[in-house]
Amino acid sequence: MAIDMTPAAGVGAPTDLEARGLKAAKPWFTGNLLTALIGGAIGYAFGHWLGNAIASNYSVVASGAQNEVAIYLSLIIGCVGWFVGLGTFNYPIQKLLGLEPIDPPKSEKRTFLEHFSYSTDHKVVGVQYLFGMLLYFLVAGLLALGIRTELLSPVNHIWAPDTYIEIVGEHGTMMMMMMTSVIMGPFGNYLIPLMIGSKKMAFPRLEAASFWFTVPSFLILLSALWQGGFQSGWTGYAPLSIQGGPGQSDYDVAFALMGFSMICASINMVATIINYRAPGLRWSRMPILAWGMITVAFTMLLSVPVLIDGLYVMSLDRGVRTAMLYAGHGGSSFLWENLFWFFGHPEVYLLALPGFALTVELLPVFARKPVFALKTSTAGLIGVAVLSFFVWQHHLFMSGMNPDMRPLFMLTTELISIPTGFLYLVAMGTVWRGKIRFEVPMLFLLAVFWNFLWGGVTGVYNSDVPVDALVHGSFFVMAHFHFTIMGQLMFAVFAGVYYYTPLIFGIRLNDKLGKISFWIIFVAFNSTFLPLFMIGLLGQPRRVFEYAVRLQHLNQWVSISAYVLGFGILLYVINLIWSLAVTRTPAGPNPWESRGLEWQVGYPVPRDNFIKIPVVHRDPYGYGTGDDTPVADLNPVGDKAAVVTGGDA
Amino acid sequence: MAMTQEERNERREYAKKAGWKIFAIWLVLSIIAVALILYVWGPHMPPGDMTTSAASQQFDFKVLTAMVAPVLLMVWVYGGWSLINFHATKTDRGDGIPLRGNRKVQGLWYVGSAVLVLFLAGFGTYELINGNGVGTGEGPSPIWKPTAKHMLVVQVIAQQWRFTYRWPQFGGMETTSINLPANTTVQFDVTSLDVIHDFWAYQLGVKADANPDVNNVAYTTTSSQLGRFTVRCDELCGIWHGAMYNYGHVVSKSAFYSWASNMETKNASVTKLLPPFATTYTPSYSGAGGGYYPSYDPNGHAVTY
């Protein structure tokens, strides 16, 4: 195995510069949030000027329509300015000038301000992602409460119909866009190097970029609210989206930026997991979270470019009046539906798979047993990822497109329940004769299985064309994907945050508050979304602000439950912030008695994770074997080859 | 780490004993649940049985629910059993048994889930084809058609934010309301003038996207049940999407024909200003801006029924 085992591998200052004819160069400046905002503002203004210079004499613009070219250019060049301000381009430009960039020496401890800078430390990026994602989630969640408030009454309206549609679109888009990274961002970046015994991620600069793409993406998407929003929902169906105003351009650019973030993050993840595994960490010993990350990363790499392509086509239609998505002028509205769902269906698994992986990763710690059928769980992840590329037209069963292909898409969609079902096989086998510890993270994990069961079985209803004829486009579908995504992914995230705060911050969250918040979240979540299945079956379409009067009581029940759910999540966040900022109860080195390599390193994680590259001897799930020796040797000596191949499987 | 013979026997005995109990509880609950689903809830399941397609959707919904209930119960019964029996106590915080897999259990699971899924796919396909698309939009040239000789053709034209209906068998007249005769096979030709809409007649069990420049055909056959049905737009079509709904009625054949011929006479003066009946229409910028559609539409596909 070609891994340099010496302490300095991959970190520190390069030597022998002069012999290679290079000059050392310090970074010109260290970018942070402030410089990025300044750069972004300058870029925005320049882009707007340029757009006006180019397109103000277009006939549509001259006749009073919005100059979309100026809006697109201001957002795109604003984003370039943002990255200039962050110092992203310092390194490549110095390289081009024949200089050898030298990073300033890192302090042993992470500072608070470092989290606002363009840091290439995977642990800093992980923490940036953690709080970024929490912020995005809470903002989008608040919008959901806006939706539920409107639906308290079928006749009395809080919002105007256009405001209502804006809120629905913002909520959906923000959740679906940003939450793709809610596990890969914080947990993937922070934990993968620790789990696979690496000092760093493969591409730290890409990693930093992946986070800093999410910030302008979020800001631009949110800014749409002040520009009339977009009326097309997160699916952006043309030609409705072609009709939209500047808010729709925000949707295009924001979604594309998030796409770039996903591509950067996933390239990094694939390269790291393939190339940076420590000696002895065979594929068969790899933690299931790492399997989840590499599977999701491959899926992102193959699906996200299609989305960006679609957004590009839509931008051309909107900006310079091509007609690729516009029927009657040579284009077709089916084109967007195909491009969008070719990304969109793998994307819902991009949301679900990391949740599965994290759940299976944590389950054995609390069941005190090895993962049951470990290879099957890996096969489940890969199976779902592969099949996810062959199901997209089940969103279009009613569309009139390729109607004769529906039996095929019905088959592929139903086949996906087989690998998804593996998750239940693994979970049920893992708890069998375990010694379950009902800690707060475990409660969330058990809730994942309760919630996802509802989401999973109702997925079968959606895939069956005759039943889909009833439920398509109704609240039934909406309840279904909230059970699979929020009930599964977000509950796994709640478990993960609770579980990993001792490792990341050395702090244990308040257990009592944790349990209270869990029960409120769990009960209110089910009380919110189970009745929505009924509401959908009784004929209420999605995204409407007026509904049948007979459904008012059910809708009110749901809205009130949603407020309680919001309160529960708030309590969870208060617990997190209160414990981190005020009480700061130290957690101890390995509070959950996990066998994972990340816990063997423990808190505080050294700046470079490992002094030496460790040698891994077994997978991290050997609970109950009576063998308490650690999974890896953190200070390997002697004949490496012998050590590498040693140890039991 | 090798397992001793005693350990192996102990595990097998335990699994057998507990397994039978779990199985028995599951079986009893499943039989009760399936019976309730089929005979108590079943007849009241949405969307009712006003038409053949609605009845097919109801039947499929019933079958799926009857199959899903035992799956839910399996996880619940097993999960409940495990949570009660396999947890740590204050005195015992040790580990569970180091069980990493079981070939028989895994094999049974793979085969079982595959059989279930393949059956569901086969069942859905059979129902879809046998039900002539069960009321779903089948595109411009459907291959699964009803065999009825006389079909009533109704064109549904969606636009922001209303539905209008054209009746090619009644002089191509256009109405803003819809009535249908009982015991009749109906062909819906669904299209749109602007963005994507969806024609969802809930009680009729008909759902088809209205795409601009595309004719989307759906079939259903009404029964002798008379009454009101709801039409809603089921695809987000802009700010007034939530207000895009109206109601129609299934009426007796004689009532329908008198309504239709009445409307035909009443609307005759307007009908002659309309473009000829076609499967799709493209509103022209010059034509629709305050006036009528042009008489010749290059993208329209004129047909006669």
Side-chain angles (χ1 to χ4, degrees), chain A residues 347-643:
Chain A
E347 121 114 320
V348 301
Y349 291 108
L350 298 180
L351 293 159
L353 285 178
F356 293 162
L358 188 60
T359 305
V360 177
E361 180 69 37
L362 304 190
L363 196 64
V365 181
F366 295 100
R368 309 309 298 168
K369 273 189 62 200
V371 175
F372 182 86
L374 185 61
K375 282 181 187 158
T376 303
S377 68
T378 311
L381 294 174
I382 296 171
V384 170
V386 171
L387 277 174
S388 74
F389 285 97
F390 300 91
V391 298
W392 81 96
Q393 281 209 356
H394 67 211
H395 295 271
L396 306 166
F397 279 158
M398 308 298 136
S399 71
M401 179 188 347
N402 296 348
D404 315 334
M405 295 280 277
R406 288 180 294 178
L408 175 68
F409 282 101
M410 179 157 39
L411 174 68
T412 54
T413 308
E414 288 180 358
L415 282 182
I416 230 170
S417 353
I418 298 177
T420 317
F422 290 175
L423 176 75
Y424 278 85
L425 170 68
V426 170
M428 289 161 76
T430 305
V431 293
W432 178 253
R433 301 194 71 185
K435 290 268 167 65
I436 300 171
R437 296 178 181 173
F438 294 110
E439 307 272 8
V440 178
M442 185 59 169
L443 295 177
F444 278 108
L445 297 180
L446 293 171
V448 164
F449 291 102
W450 169 272
N451 295 339
F452 191 74
L453 195 57
W454 287 109
V457 298
T458 50
V460 175
Y461 287 78
N462 297 332
S463 67
D464 183 277
V465 180
V467 177
D468 193 49
L470 169 64
V471 298
H472 170 87
S474 76
F475 265 67
F476 185 94
V477 174
M478 192 275 245
H480 155 74
F481 68 73
H482 278 82
F483 266 98
T484 54
I485 296 174
M486 173 152 192
Q488 193 263 131
L489 171 72
M490 290 319 293
F491 275 65
V493 169
F494 291 143
V497 171
Y498 206 98
Y499 180 84
Y500 279 114
T501 34
L503 180 68
I504 299 176
F505 303 104
I507 302 289
R508 173 128 183 191
L509 302 190
N510 184 314
D511 269 344
K512 202 171 205 177
L513 211 51
K515 279 190 179 149
I516 296 172
S517 62
F518 164 75
W519 283 108
I520 296 177
I521 293 173
F522 177 63
V523 174
F525 171 78
N526 280 278
S527 168
T528 304
F529 290 100
L530 282 176
L532 285 178
F533 286 120
M534 271 344 274
I535 291 177
L537 288 175
L538 293 171
Q540 184 170 328
R542 294 166 63 182
R543 298 151 158 172
V544 296
F545 61 95
E546 283 183 0
Y547 55 87
V549 177
R550 68 196 159 91
L551 297 177
Q552 184 172 7
H553 291 300
L554 270 174
N555 272 296
Q556 284 173 336
W557 175 278
V558 169
S559 292
I560 292 165
S561 303
Y563 296 134
V564 180
L565 175 58
F567 172 73
I569 292 171
L570 190 66
L571 211 59
Y572 182 94
V573 174
I574 288 174
N575 186 8
L576 177 68
I577 292 172
W578 187 259
S579 302
L580 288 182
V582 182
T583 53
R584 299 190 65 79
T585 318
N590 187 357
W592 316 110
E593 299 177 36
S594 163
R595 288 183 58 77
L597 178 53
E598 74 274 24
W599 291 98
Q600 201 182 330
V601 178
Y603 178 82
V605 179
R607 198 72 208 221
D608 291 323
N609 302 346
F610 300 96
I611 318 273
K612 283 187 178 180
I613 297 292
V615 171
V616 179
H617 291 288
R618 49 190 71 81
D619 75 34
Y621 306 118
Y623 300 97
T625 51
D627 176 11
D628 285 339
T629 47
V631 293
D633 184 356
L634 295 190
N635 192 16
V637 284
D639 182 2
K640 285 162 210 146
V643 179

Side-chain angles (χ1 to χ4, degrees), chain A residues 83-106:
Chain A
F83 277 104
V84 171
L86 279 169
T88 311
F89 299 112
N90 292 358
Y91 180 92
I93 291 175
Q94 284 179 336
K95 278 283 206 189
L96 286 173
L97 294 176
L99 302 170
E100 185 59 35
I102 308 278
D103 288 334
K106 289 187 254 184

Side-chain angles (χ1 to χ4, degrees), chain A residues 161-162 165 231-233 237-240 243 327-329 333-334 337 367-374 376 397-400 403-404 406-407 410-411 414-415 417-418 421-422 424-425 428-429 431-439 446 450 453-454 457 460-461 464-474 476 534 536-548 593 619 621-625, chain B residues 1 10-11 14-15 18-19 22 41 46-47 57 60-61 64-65 68 71-72 74-76 78 81-83 86-88 92-102 105-106 109-110 113-114 117-118 120-121 123-125 127-128 133-134 136-140 143-144 160 194-196 198 200 202 207-209 211-214 216 232-243 245 282 285 299:
Chain A
D162 51 344
I165 287 296
Q231 51 175 346
S232 66
Y237 277 7
L240 180 61
Q243 288 181 346
H329 297 273
S333 52
F334 287 153
E337 288 185 319
R368 309 309 298 168
K369 273 189 62 200
V371 175
F372 182 86
L374 185 61
T376 303
F397 279 158
M398 308 298 136
S399 71
D404 315 334
R406 288 180 294 178
M410 179 157 39
L411 174 68
E414 288 180 358
L415 282 182
S417 353
I418 298 177
F422 290 175
Y424 278 85
L425 170 68
M428 289 161 76
V431 293
W432 178 253
R433 301 194 71 185
K435 290 268 167 65
I436 300 171
R437 296 178 181 173
F438 294 110
E439 307 272 8
L446 293 171
W450 169 272
L453 195 57
W454 287 109
V457 298
V460 175
Y461 287 78
D464 183 277
V465 180
V467 177
D468 193 49
L470 169 64
V471 298
H472 170 87
S474 76
F476 185 94
M534 271 344 274
L537 288 175
L538 293 171
Q540 184 170 328
R542 294 166 63 182
R543 298 151 158 172
V544 296
F545 61 95
E546 283 183 0
Y547 55 87
E593 299 177 36
D619 75 34
Y621 306 118
Y623 300 97
T625 51
Chain B
M1 205 177 57
E10 189 270 339
R11 281 188 196 178
Y14 187 96
I22 295 172
W41 186 23
Q57 291 170 17
D60 266 47
F61 191 85
L64 254 58
T65 309
V68 153
V71 175
L72 286 176
M74 175 187 73
V75 178
W76 289 342
Y78 179 94
W81 176 279
S82 305
L83 295 189
F86 307 137
H87 59 80
D92 181 9
R93 285 182 66 82
D95 289 348
I97 57 170
L99 177 70
R100 279 180 181 270
N102 181 311
V105 172
Q106 286 168 240
W109 184 284
Y110 306 146
S113 59
V117 160
L118 291 175
L120 283 173
F123 171 72
T125 305
E127 285 287 299
L128 177 66
V134 272
T136 60
E138 295 197 76
I143 54 170
W144 304 312
Q160 288 169 324
D194 38 48
V195 302
I196 300 175
D198 185 285
W200 183 17
Y202 178 78
K207 192 178 276 175
D209 275 11
N211 303 288
D213 219 35
V214 176
N216 197 6
R232 285 213 74 146
C233 177
D234 197 33
E235 198 62 74
L236 180 57
C237 59
I239 57 173
W240 290 101
H241 165 60
Y245 60 90
T282 309
Y285 286 112
N299 289 306

Side-chain angles (χ1 to χ4, degrees), chain A residues 39-115:
Chain A
I42 295 171
Y44 184 92
F46 175 71
H48 214 277
W49 170 81
L50 189 65
N52 277 329
I54 292 173
S56 56
N57 60 345
Y58 283 13
S59 61
V60 277
V61 178
S63 63
Q66 186 78 37
N67 185 347
E68 298 291 346
V69 176
I71 292 170
Y72 281 117
L73 285 181
S74 59
L75 294 176
I76 292 166
I77 299 179
C79 192
V80 174
W82 167 271
F83 277 104
V84 171
L86 279 169
T88 311
F89 299 112
N90 292 358
Y91 180 92
I93 291 175
Q94 284 179 336
K95 278 283 206 189
L96 286 173
L97 294 176
L99 302 170
E100 185 59 35
I102 308 278
D103 288 334
K106 289 187 254 184
S107 57
E108 193 44 48
K109 212 170 166 338
R110 300 197 302 263
T111 60
F112 180 72
L113 278 181
E114 203 175 330
H115 295 102

